[in-house]
Amino acid sequence: MSTQVEIKVYPNKLDDSLYESCTGLVGQTVNSWLKANVPAYAELEQPLFSVNINNRHVLPCEWDTCTFKHNDNIKFIVESKDPATIAYAVIAVIAIGVAIYATNQIPDNYNSTVPDGSSIYDVNTQGNKPRLMGVIPEIAGRHLIFPDYLTMPRREYINNEQWLYLMLCVGKGEYEVLDDEVFIGNTPVTGKPNDVDYQIFGPGEDVTVHEAHRNVYTSSEVGSTAGSTGIELKGRVTNTGGLNGRYIWSFEGNKLVVHREDFEPEVGTIRYKTTPPFSVGETLKIEGSLSGQNDGYFELLNASTSGSEVNKVDGQNQDDPSWSSFVTELNSNANVLVEGGGGDGQFNGPFFACPAGEKTQKIWVDFTLPQGLGELDDEGDFLSRSVTVRIEYRDEGAQEWSFVEETYSNSTNDQLGRTLPIELPTKIRPEVRIKRVTAANDDTRIKDEIYWTSLKAELDSATSYEDMTTIAVKIRGTNALAGSAENKFNLIGTRILPVYENGAWSEPRPTTDIAPFFTHVIKSSGHSDSKIGLDEINTLHPVWHNRGDEFNAVFDSGSTMFEVLKRVLAVGFAEPTIDYGRIIPVRDQQRSVFQHMYQPDNYIGLLERTITLIDDDEHDGVEVEYFSPITWKSETILCLLPGDLGVNPEKIRAFGITNRDKAYQFGMRKRRARRYRRTSFTFKTEMDALNSRYLDYCALADDIPGYEQTGRVEYIVGRSVYVDAILKWQSGQSHILALRKPDGTLSGPYTATIGSSSNEVIIDSDIDFAPVFDGSIEPPLYMFGITNKWCNAVLIRDIKPSSVDKVNVTAELYDDRVYLDDNSLAPT
């Protein structure tokens, strides 16, 4: 009985007519067969293929125990793992590896690298602003930040000083902010400890410890903008006739008791007297009584020092039969009806304190007295004076009003401001009206004008903010700060991230390095460590760090993960690629060790070469725009090669670079690549090219006569290599021989000398692999030529499978001159 079983490998699960037949042994497990027959096989969290035996899907956890049996119908099916990538793989005895490449160009256009609507990179729009339904800013490295409003700014008077409260979002994640790097406009707040109080909260911390956390809505009807005069509260004017005074009414049954209160500045005392202020038969209009229960028109029937009898009438002096007596309200203000000879001023409002659909249990009303409060006597001294206002409120749709009365007293001609907080019994949508109770006066020596400047209501307030750093700010409204405090609060923050180095993650720390933010972008998109090229990060992180390459930028508008990764890596001369389902960084850097060999024996068709000639109209330099870490504004630097005039430079922006030398290096790399990378190659292979990755450094054979010779190795004895052709040696030249290993990588190159036969080459060291000549696999291929013409050194730029057995490859001629300014300092 045969011990072999057939294994069918399907490269395309949508076409079951295409498969490759392989052989396994009865009793072998899935994993043991893969390890024995597929050199590039690795156990992955998400395998690149599925296994089906007898129409049953075999889970990866069963691969170590599931064995092949006689007559089993065994299928290995390649699965696509990324809908944005062409997934292609073939599992077979000769399968070496799989590379998946997505073409990426380093962004070099300002409009495509700077997010639309950025508040950082456009100096005309720098400032704090709300980001309704927008993207939470993501900051990389160290950068200037104008935090966004989490709640709208609000102002409040405390001890006659106006304070501004701001609750701001620094950005997503955690940041280090130094005290001397917090500013209002260009002014550091460290020099104003009595004027600015701020507190930074990390992600998830309780923000209620700072008063600025409150989410306060400011009514636009009253005058919410900074500097608004507000609504003047006008009282009825009393002509004092030389003496300052007022009338105060109280009720006793149907009697109106009137007291006259006079103030004599010379004496400095207040005296009272009872007097009827009106004549019998006169009609009084009373308004603004407590809860409005005594409002209306009243006719004076008789007057005496003990009280005046009145009768309630309508507007046409007709008796009101429903009225019997005044309603006495038993509280501290029960007997006070109005102040002043002519009654109260008019109500202003009502205005709703919060938007429709919202409710509040706390409101604030702000008042200003722009001329101060007091009275000037004959000696020029300011005497004390008081003014009383009445605040009434009710729920939306309610009939009855509740009220608060507030009296302010002072003796100053300095501007005054007051904020009155009012706690409501329950949550309502209040409408508020206010009037001045104290009568106004036409005496120019009296300063008591009062304005209602703001109506605010507290809405539901967040107690913490997950996944973002916030800052609560309280700013005194001094002249030095008032003009820019509300929308020019800014700071310099450094992102705190873990760093993958020496094969492990470090504790989070402030960092400006490229690698930490690169890995953060991938992990924050929901991917695990298994999807990140951590080995490549471990290799490139010290290269970037030691060179001083940094990525300092602000992302404050939408983008894709891959576009962000391209911007992050561009400052380190690298690009992201996808390999075996992992996102890895690949750096364009100087090379000396070839990775793979391609020559006519593994081409399909001919090698095509394209050379771009220098055009008279092309750019003669590169102008790089970068962000200065001193001014935090854009600056430019011109990057020129010898012979460049710089009259028509290519304009690019070094997004993420905040260092002049690094901007120069970035621009010179771009300029040198434009000048010296002008030759490209295209060719096709079978499966061979899938061994290579993006930007691999490879040896490519030319088909131009007089250059290298290529072919197959027939056999090797020690250091003698016998090839399938007669080699052409050039007198006086040193020669090179390179061999292709079974996995497609290049062995050598070796220094070659002529052997005793026409097809023998003697190399200077032992080969580093075991060649196979039994026909089970392809024999080693070779390339032979003089030292400077034995191959074309190329960088792989594009690998695209075109069918199940063809791969299109684009390569670019390598030139060391591209890298000569990678460490240059910018010219002064």
Side-chain angles (χ1 to χ4, degrees), residues 183-254:
F183 308 90
I184 294 177
N186 296 317
T187 305
V189 302
T190 51
K192 301 183 178 296
N194 297 324
D195 293 332
V196 182
D197 167 66
Y198 70 89
Q199 187 172 352
I200 297 175
F201 299 92
E205 291 186 5
D206 182 12
V207 299
T208 60
V209 296
H210 198 286
E211 186 69 15
H213 87 281
R214 297 181 183 276
N215 179 24
V216 176
Y217 171 81
T218 303
S219 172
S220 59
E221 287 91 340
V222 177
S224 59
T225 57
S228 173
T229 305
I231 300 172
E232 183 179 2
L233 302 179
K234 297 181 178 181
R236 297 204 178 184
V237 177
T238 299
N239 190 327
T240 59
L243 290 178
N244 300 316
R246 62 178 178 176
Y247 292 110
I248 298 178
W249 284 266
S250 62
F251 305 115
E252 292 180 3
N254 65 345

Side-chain angles (χ1 to χ4, degrees), residues 677-810:
R677 286 182 175 168
R678 310 184 79 90
T679 301
S680 62
F681 302 89
T682 57
F683 59 96
K684 293 181 181 180
T685 72
E686 292 183 345
M687 309 308 296
D688 305 50
L690 291 179
N691 292 320
S692 294
R693 292 177 173 180
Y694 181 62
L695 287 186
D696 271 0
Y697 181 58
C698 297
L700 187 66
D702 212 325
D703 53 2
I704 299 177
Y707 279 71
E708 67 278 349
Q709 289 180 260
T710 63
R712 298 172 183 267
V713 176
E714 293 185 336
Y715 58 95
I716 299 175
V717 179
R719 294 186 180 181
S720 292
V721 181
Y722 296 87
V723 299
D724 63 353
I726 297 174
L727 299 176
K728 299 176 182 178
W729 298 83
Q730 298 185 34
S731 177
Q733 298 285 344
S734 59
H735 292 75
I736 292 293
L737 180 73
L739 304 176
R740 182 176 181 268
K741 300 179 185 179
D743 63 358
T745 57
L746 185 142
S747 176
Y750 303 97
T751 301
T753 56
I754 192 168
S756 57
S757 63
S758 60
N759 68 333
E760 180 186 2
V761 179
I762 300 174
I763 57 178
D764 61 339
S765 62
D766 296 334
I767 63 173
D768 57 358
F769 69 100
V772 178
F773 297 99
D774 62 5
S776 61
I777 61 174
E778 190 175 37
L781 306 179
Y782 73 89
M783 296 172 65
F784 172 80
I786 63 175
T787 300
N788 60 349
K789 289 186 178 180
W790 69 274
C791 78
N792 289 296
V794 297
L795 296 176
I796 301 297
R797 280 293 182 181
D798 194 8
I799 302 172
K800 290 182 178 177
S802 60
S803 66
V804 294
D805 59 356
K806 289 185 179 64
V807 180
N808 296 323
V809 184
T810 301

Side-chain angles (χ1 to χ4, degrees), residues 35-48:
K35 292 175 181 177
N37 293 276
V38 184
Y41 171 66
E43 295 185 32
L44 302 176
E45 184 178 312
Q46 292 185 355
L48 298 175

Side-chain angles (χ1 to χ4, degrees), residues 410-483:
N410 215 315
S411 56
T412 180
N413 59 354
D414 294 333
Q415 180 173 328
L416 301 175
R418 296 288 187 271
T419 295
L420 176 65
I422 301 175
E423 294 283 350
L424 307 179
T426 58
K427 271 194 170 186
I428 60 173
R429 186 192 181 203
E431 50 180 344
V432 180
R433 65 182 188 181
I434 299 179
K435 71 174 180 178
R436 173 182 174 132
V437 175
T438 305
N441 202 293
D442 61 0
D443 192 332
T444 58
R445 296 183 300 176
I446 296 175
K447 307 296 182 184
D448 63 355
E449 289 183 1
I450 186 168
Y451 289 81
W452 179 16
T453 58
S454 184
L455 171 62
K456 294 164 286 190
E458 181 177 10
L459 307 181
D460 291 338
S461 303
T463 59
S464 64
Y465 294 88
E466 298 298 325
D467 302 324
M468 69 178 75
T469 295
T470 57
I471 182 168
V473 189
K474 179 182 177 183
I475 304 172
R476 188 199 306 267
T478 62
N479 290 334
L481 300 176

